[in-house]
Amino acid sequence: PKVEVIIFVLCLLMYLITLLGNIILISITVLDSHLHKPMYFFLSNLSFLDIWYTSSALTPMLTNFVSGKNTISFSGCATQMYFSLAMGSTECVLLSTMAYDRYVAICNPLRYPIIMNKRACVQIAAGSWMTGCLTALVETVSVLQLSVCGSSIINHFTCEILAVLKLVCVDTSRVQLIMLVISVLLLPMPMLLLCVSYAFILSSILRISSVDGGSKAFSTCAAHLTVVVLFYGTALSMYLKPSAVDSQEIDKFMALVYAGLTPMLNPIIYSLRNKEVKVAVKKLLIRNPLCAFLIPQSKS
């Protein structure tokens, strides 16, 4: 019980910081006209996605802590599984599109407004959401159609698809093949696009003669890379690990990192490493001094 209280407080703080940080980030990208750019359009999509992602995982867990009942209905489990998969899959695609956006902005700045126009940005974002939602639907339906026998206790803090799959008593080879194909499409392939984009970006940064220009470009990319390494690293260790390596406790920790910690760190990382975001936050504080009590001001 004492450990549960500590976990509850930590997860509650993590959830509240995630909500506050991402809501603020969405607000300043909408209110500040200087942030009406493709990069911040994708960033606001990422923030909106992270709010749903964290809510789908942490809210039921926090409710269970308060109520003392560690039960969930079949429909509730299916809903939680779908939203967790959908948001995670969408983030995989969205992070790679953000890398492509940075590649065009830094490596081809003169054509950037033409290539990444408003219509293209909306189409790319919509494609990311559709890909994530459709692949999640396929995975969720495939798993929940299987028969569960014996214990119905899920050894996890959410209805995570791998934990639910352990309860199935029939052949799961077809479902595992589906999950493998989707995992390869959503993890290594976006990572390949991301690595290629940043290889060109790094090459261009090294050729930038202006110290300020190079520093600004590197700062923006460093923030993105921090998020990418944390998110993709934990996701890869979860869904593409060798079958011989199977530790449920490690899986729980990894799930908590990419479902709770990463969404919390996203707005913090982008705010601290991005000068435009910090300027927008300062403008918001000047317009509404009451926000100063909610938003800690970082040194430029």
Side-chain angles (χ1 to χ4, degrees):
K2 292 181 180 178
V3 176
E4 285 189 358
V5 172
I6 295 173
I7 295 174
F8 172 78
V9 172
L10 289 176
C11 290
L12 180 61
L13 287 174
M14 191 184 301
Y15 182 57
L16 293 177
I17 293 172
T18 300
L19 286 181
L20 181 63
N22 284 293
I23 288 173
I24 290 172
L25 204 51
I26 293 173
S27 299
I28 61 175
T29 55
V30 172
L31 297 175
D32 196 318
S33 59
H34 294 93
L35 300 183
H36 291 176
K37 302 175 183 178
M39 174 183 171
Y40 300 105
F41 170 73
F42 292 125
L43 185 56
S44 61
N45 270 266
L46 182 63
S47 294
F48 180 75
L49 181 152
D50 282 338
I51 291 173
W52 278 95
Y53 197 8
T54 308
S55 298
S56 67
L58 295 187
T59 303
M61 183 177 69
L62 294 173
T63 304
N64 290 340
F65 274 128
V66 174
S67 64
K69 297 179 180 179
N70 296 332
T71 59
I72 188 169
S73 64
F74 180 81
S75 59
C77 183
T79 303
Q80 186 183 53
M81 184 188 296
Y82 172 74
F83 274 102
S84 295
L85 287 171
M87 298 303 104
S89 300
T90 303
E91 185 159 351
C92 288
V93 181
L94 191 60
L95 287 174
S96 65
T97 60
M98 291 174 70
Y100 175 73
D101 170 71
R102 291 299 83 207
Y103 157 72
V104 178
I106 295 173
C107 299
N108 204 349
L110 296 180
R111 296 191 60 197
Y112 179 67
I114 300 173
I115 297 174
M116 300 301 293
N117 56 65
K118 185 176 180 180
R119 182 179 179 182
C121 291
V122 172
Q123 289 177 342
I124 292 172
S128 301
W129 282 94
M130 287 181 63
T131 301
C133 292
L134 289 176
T135 54
L137 182 63
V138 172
E139 289 183 292
T140 304
V141 171
S142 299
V143 171
L144 295 181
Q145 284 181 338
L146 301 176
S147 300
V148 176
C149 57
S151 174
S152 59
I153 298 175
I154 301 172
N155 186 16
H156 213 284
F157 60 86
T158 66
C159 277
E160 209 277 327
I161 188 168
L162 295 177
V164 174
L165 203 58
K166 294 181 185 295
L167 305 180
V168 175
C169 56
V170 296
D171 181 36
T172 60
S173 57
R174 184 178 65 88
V175 175
Q176 288 180 342
L177 179 60
I178 292 173
M179 291 177 60
L180 177 62
V181 172
I182 291 176
S183 296
V184 170
L185 290 174
L186 295 179
L187 287 172
M189 290 188 67
M191 277 195 68
L192 179 61
L193 173 62
L194 195 144
C195 291
V196 171
S197 297
Y198 276 105
F200 283 107
I201 289 172
L202 182 60
S203 176
S204 296
I205 290 176
L206 294 175
R207 292 198 302 266
I208 294 177
S209 57
S210 170
V211 176
D212 291 337
S215 176
K216 182 179 178 181
F218 183 80
S219 177
T220 302
C221 295
H224 189 195
L225 277 174
T226 305
V227 176
V228 164
V229 170
L230 189 61
F231 179 80
Y232 278 106
T234 52
L236 281 169
S237 65
M238 276 281 294
Y239 294 104
L240 288 178
K241 63 184 178 183
S243 57
V245 181
D246 188 12
S247 174
Q248 194 64 33
E249 299 307 315
I250 294 177
D251 286 351
K252 292 178 188 178
F253 176 75
M254 291 298 180
L256 190 61
V257 169
Y258 70 72
L261 184 62
T262 305
M264 181 188 74
L265 292 179
N266 279 348
I268 297 174
I269 291 172
Y270 278 104
S271 299
L272 294 178
R273 298 301 302 271
N274 192 300
K275 293 181 180 179
E276 289 181 320
V277 172
K278 289 191 285 187
V279 170
V281 171
K282 289 178 181 179
K283 288 181 180 179
L284 179 64
L285 293 176
I286 294 173
R287 293 175 186 173
N288 189 0
L290 291 176
C291 292
F293 294 100
L294 298 175
I295 310 172
Q297 296 188 51
S298 60
K299 296 181 180 181
S300 301

